[in-house]
Amino acid sequence: MKFTEEQKKVFNFVKFDSNHGIIDAVAGSGKTTTIIESASLINPKNNILFCAFNRSIRKEIQNKFIEKQLDRIVVKTMHALGYDILKSNSKLKYNLDNKKFNKIIDEVIKVNPENLINSLLKINQIDPAPTDKTEKEQLKKYLYFIKNVLLDIINKYRLTLTKDSFEEFKNVIIHFNIFGEFKTSSKTFDKELQCYYEINKYILNKGIEFATRQSLIDYTDMLYLPYLWKLYPVRKFDLLFVDECQDLSNSQIAVALKYVKKDGRILSVGDPFQSIYGFAGADIESYNRLKGIPNTVRLSLSKCFRCPNDVIELAQNFREDIYPYQDKIGIIEKIDFEEVVEKVKKGNLIISRLKTPLLDLLFVLLNKEIKVEVHEDDVKDILNSIRFLFSKEELRQENIEPILEDARGRNIYFIEKNSKDIDDLEDREIYVVREIELLDAKLDLVKKQLSRHIEVDNINELLKKIENLISSSEDAVKLSTIHRAKGLENETIFILDFDLLPLYRDDQKEWERMQERNLKYVALTRTKKILYLVNSRKFELESNSSSLFDEIDWIE
């Protein structure tokens, strides 16, 4: 392979310099190739650790190192590194339970420590012991809201390594926009937040107690507890590669830096314009924090090997300094949602900012008997979206066909009931039309699969057959959110709801709006040749211009 001058500069820096380095690598600039080649130039006596962003990247990088006979290089995710620190500092075996804090919060809501839950209910004028059916439903919904907020807070609190003070706590809440602008500007916000602050402390202490006494941890504990308990790894390294450094949380950076020798080097790689995980607790300044480590030299990879020229021109609206490695002809075409099924081919990648358009398309493709592949973590959600259409008894019932019409009627009732929470009448109608259409697509899929698998006794068994339709397959159409598509590439990319990107909301913080722009940049730069920009669906509503007057023929 012929390397660019920028890549050669990186190689020389790694081989001959002694400073830390940070590589600003635009999308498709061959950063993985650059890292692998750089590692091969380092003295074999030096210990090297590569910090991978996730498990799939870890597997990919590890295989490439093995191919280059560099299997001496350790490749691990940040979570695995944190877990290794915990494990090496304890004689006990830690057990993973990622629902640990769900259980703690359920108990907190039940026990109501120091009457804090009741205080929240009082501030929000909700009766803690209602007798009226409507008020009972209101209480149930609000307790569900509290649980989700507390889960979000306890996770962000640990990922950001927030100090134990009300002001620091408040800063985290406001930064992540956990309650929205309307709530944070209310007169009772500080009073309500004080309750959440005290409840979070209680939950955190319970979580630490579970880790200490029962060796029970969740994934975020793997990053947080080594910091809290001031633990260090047994083995440290001469050189640390940090991948995707624009999307790391404070707790991830803290774990990584514990593995570097005092006289060791850090080589970070990332693209600040691909920072998209702020919503999940990543520090939006993580790239700049690593760049700000003393004696850090900035290097760049600005040539994109992946994308054709016309796609690069679109990407330059978001990042001006991305350039094509060489002239490359591509195709960009704007199409409507309904045209996707006609144009999509085996192996193509379809991406979307939101899951809803993907779900709409998924059932259309399956009903057209087109193989589909979704991320393994999304398979369960898709199957549950079908499973939840039926009662537990219906899922086990042997005679399936009579169930389907009952399920349809019942679910339409719930759709129309839920729509009443939407104030705008047109939005409400669109919601009903879209949800009923999706409901029918799910039920059609069940009917079709039922006719194909006559040996199946019930819907639970049928769902196992449907699972096979959406699992990994080489000739399948791949569906992914833009977040999950980061790091992927394909000859042909479809971007759903492109006309709605960036996806701005009125209550977004400036950093959230910037990350929405980054998501559009990430989406555009996945293609190697053909790019379809898919318009959002337009739903036709029934005209309300006529009335009963028009139906009466005796009035002229």
Side-chain angles (χ1 to χ4, degrees):
M1 177 182 176
K2 185 180 178 182
F3 294 113
T4 66
E5 291 304 311
E6 288 177 325
Q7 286 175 312
K8 290 175 184 175
K9 190 174 179 181
V10 171
F11 301 152
N12 285 332
F13 172 81
V14 171
K15 190 173 182 179
F16 299 114
D17 209 308
S18 59
N19 288 306
H20 305 304
I22 189 164
I23 303 172
D24 185 353
V26 303
S29 59
K31 66 169 182 139
T32 301
T33 303
T34 306
I35 290 169
I36 302 296
E37 187 64 26
S38 296
S40 71
L41 300 173
I42 296 164
N43 189 325
K45 292 180 181 178
N46 288 336
N47 295 319
I48 304 172
L49 172 63
F50 183 95
C51 299
F53 187 68
N54 56 38
R55 284 177 293 175
S56 61
I57 290 175
R58 181 199 63 77
K59 190 175 179 181
E60 177 196 348
I61 295 292
Q62 195 163 49
N63 288 338
K64 291 191 181 220
F65 277 139
I66 290 169
E67 286 172 16
K68 290 276 286 185
Q69 297 183 330
L70 294 170
D71 49 327
R72 62 186 173 82
I73 297 175
V74 177
V75 184
K76 291 199 173 187
T77 65
M78 299 290 191
H79 286 85
L81 292 171
Y83 180 71
D84 284 349
I85 293 174
L86 292 176
K87 194 169 59 173
S88 63
N89 282 273
S90 174
K91 294 178 181 178
L92 301 172
K93 181 186 176 184
Y94 283 98
N95 299 305
L96 177 66
D97 181 1
N98 219 32
K99 296 288 184 183
K100 178 177 104 168
F101 281 97
N102 293 62
K103 295 168 187 172
I104 292 172
I105 291 169
D106 284 339
E107 187 64 21
V108 165
I109 291 173
K110 185 179 176 182
V111 172
N112 189 21
E114 298 180 31
N115 219 31
L116 289 165
I117 300 295
N118 279 3
S119 297
L120 286 175
L121 295 175
K122 187 177 179 181
I123 291 167
N124 288 278
Q125 299 179 328
I126 293 171
D127 188 349
T131 54
D132 178 78
K133 183 180 177 183
T134 304
E135 290 179 347
K136 283 181 179 178
E137 186 65 27
Q138 185 185 30
L139 174 62
K140 184 180 175 183
K141 283 184 178 179
Y142 193 71
L143 290 177
Y144 181 74
F145 168 78
I146 289 174
K147 177 179 178 177
N148 285 322
V149 166
L150 289 172
L151 280 170
D152 197 13
I153 290 173
I154 193 65
N155 209 41
K156 300 281 173 48
Y157 184 91
R158 290 176 295 155
L159 287 170
T160 54
L161 305 181
T162 299
K163 299 289 189 296
D164 183 19
S165 78
F166 178 72
E167 283 307 312
E168 291 290 326
F169 179 80
K170 184 177 179 179
N171 289 340
V172 168
I173 299 298
I174 291 173
H175 171 78
F176 288 108
N177 211 8
I178 287 173
F179 290 98
E181 290 292 331
F182 177 76
K183 190 83 166 174
T184 53
S185 60
S186 70
K187 291 179 181 179
T188 60
F189 179 65
D190 273 8
K191 188 177 179 182
E192 189 169 354
L193 199 59
Q194 188 69 48
C195 292
Y196 277 107
Y197 173 63
E198 296 298 335
I199 296 169
N200 184 68
K201 278 208 292 188
Y202 181 89
I203 292 166
L204 183 66
N205 288 333
K206 278 287 180 186
I208 294 167
E209 186 182 313
F210 275 37
T212 307
R213 295 185 180 180
Q214 301 176 36
S215 300
L216 203 63
I217 60 172
D218 70 353
Y219 283 116
T220 306
D221 279 337
M222 294 178 184
L223 303 170
Y224 178 67
L225 294 178
Y227 164 80
L228 180 70
W229 292 339
K230 296 180 172 58
L231 304 178
Y232 287 85
V234 173
R235 184 185 181 192
K236 294 186 176 67
F237 293 82
D238 299 298
L239 178 62
L240 178 73
F241 282 103
V242 181
D243 193 23
E244 302 290 354
C245 70
Q246 79 283 345
D247 268 324
L248 300 179
S249 66
N250 286 344
S251 57
Q252 286 176 311
I253 293 173
V255 164
L257 296 185
K258 284 175 182 282
Y259 277 88
V260 192
K261 292 178 180 178
K262 278 193 175 181
D263 58 348
R265 298 174 67 193
I266 305 165
L267 187 64
S268 306
V269 188
D271 179 356
F273 291 85
Q274 293 189 69
S275 171
I276 59 174
Y277 278 98
F279 78 96
D283 178 5
I284 58 170
E285 292 295 327
S286 62
Y287 176 90
N288 289 327
R289 291 193 198 286
L290 288 166
K291 188 175 77 170
I293 292 174
N295 304 315
T296 297
V297 176
R298 181 184 174 276
L299 301 143
S300 62
L301 297 174
S302 62
K303 302 290 191 297
C304 176
F305 293 88
R306 179 189 299 148
C307 302
N309 291 30
D310 45 3
V311 172
I312 295 290
E313 285 180 24
L314 284 178
Q316 284 172 340
N317 290 314
F318 302 92
R319 172 149 202 177
E320 293 179 357
D321 60 343
I322 179 173
Y323 305 104
Y325 169 65
Q326 59 186 11
D327 287 337
K328 193 174 177 183
I329 297 170
I331 298 170
I332 300 177
E333 187 178 342
K334 290 185 178 181
I335 63 172
D336 291 329
F337 182 88
E338 292 72 21
E339 296 177 77
V340 174
V341 178
E342 302 165 16
K343 293 183 178 290
V344 74
K345 293 181 174 60
K346 295 175 181 178
N348 290 172
L349 176 60
I350 301 173
I351 59 178
S352 172
R353 168 66 181 86
L354 300 175
K355 286 186 178 181
T356 303
L358 289 173
L359 203 58
D360 289 344
L361 186 60
L362 173 103
F363 290 105
V364 172
L365 293 171
L366 290 177
N367 282 319
K368 295 276 187 183
E369 299 188 359
I370 297 172
K371 287 184 181 179
V372 174
E373 179 188 337
V374 300
H375 192 277
E376 59 183 339
D377 293 343
D378 293 328
V379 171
K380 184 179 178 182
D381 291 339
I382 292 164
L383 294 176
N384 280 339
S385 77
I386 301 173
R387 187 176 284 114
F388 293 157
L389 301 178
F390 307 96
S391 67
K392 289 180 180 178
E393 292 74 23
E394 288 171 337
L395 289 169
R396 296 191 296 266
Q397 193 171 315
E398 290 190 4
N399 192 8
I400 299 175
E401 286 196 31
I403 297 170
L404 301 181
E405 199 56 41
D406 289 344
R408 185 178 190 273
R410 182 175 63 249
N411 281 281
I412 288 175
Y413 167 78
F414 287 126
I415 289 168
E416 290 174 342
K417 183 182 177 183
N418 292 337
S419 73
K420 291 175 184 176
D421 293 335
I422 303 171
D423 295 328
D424 185 272
L425 289 177
E426 187 173 332
D427 288 346
R428 186 188 300 176
E429 286 185 61
I430 289 172
Y431 169 82
V432 170
V433 170
R434 183 172 202 155
E435 288 299 309
I436 291 177
E437 189 178 291
L438 183 57
L439 168 65
D440 286 337
K442 292 175 185 177
L443 292 174
D444 285 346
L445 178 63
V446 171
K447 288 176 188 175
K448 284 187 179 180
Q449 292 306 307
L450 183 60
S451 65
R452 278 176 168 270
H453 301 284
I454 56 175
E455 77 282 1
V456 169
D457 292 330
N458 55 53
I459 293 171
N460 272 332
E461 290 297 316
L462 194 65
L463 286 171
K464 293 176 184 176
K465 302 293 182 184
I466 293 173
E467 183 175 1
N468 293 332
L469 295 176
I470 57 177
S471 298
S472 182
S473 173
E474 285 186 13
D475 60 348
V477 174
K478 296 168 177 61
L479 301 185
S480 172
T481 60
I482 298 172
H483 282 96
R484 289 203 191 281
K486 180 150 183 336
L488 300 180
E489 61 182 18
N490 199 287
E491 290 290 323
T492 303
I493 296 286
F494 293 77
I495 307 176
L496 302 183
D497 286 6
F498 184 79
D499 53 319
L500 302 181
L501 300 180
L503 195 63
Y504 293 145
R505 297 190 317 272
D506 291 340
D507 64 343
Q508 281 176 324
K509 301 285 184 184
E510 184 53 41
W511 70 265
E512 291 176 299
R513 295 173 74 85
M514 178 57 71
Q515 296 225 327
E516 291 297 337
R517 283 176 56 82
N518 291 350
L519 279 163
K520 191 168 183 178
Y521 166 68
V522 169
L524 289 168
T525 52
R526 298 309 95 198
T527 187
K528 295 167 76 175
K529 187 176 182 181
I530 303 171
L531 181 61
Y532 288 107
L533 309 177
V534 185
N535 293 320
S536 55
R537 297 180 70 188
K538 304 296 183 283
F539 291 89
E540 291 187 15
L541 304 177
E542 290 184 16
S543 173
N544 292 320
S545 58
S546 63
S547 67
L548 182 60
F549 177 87
D550 301 305
E551 304 300 319
I552 299 174
D553 57 8
W554 48 266
I555 300 178
E556 295 183 3

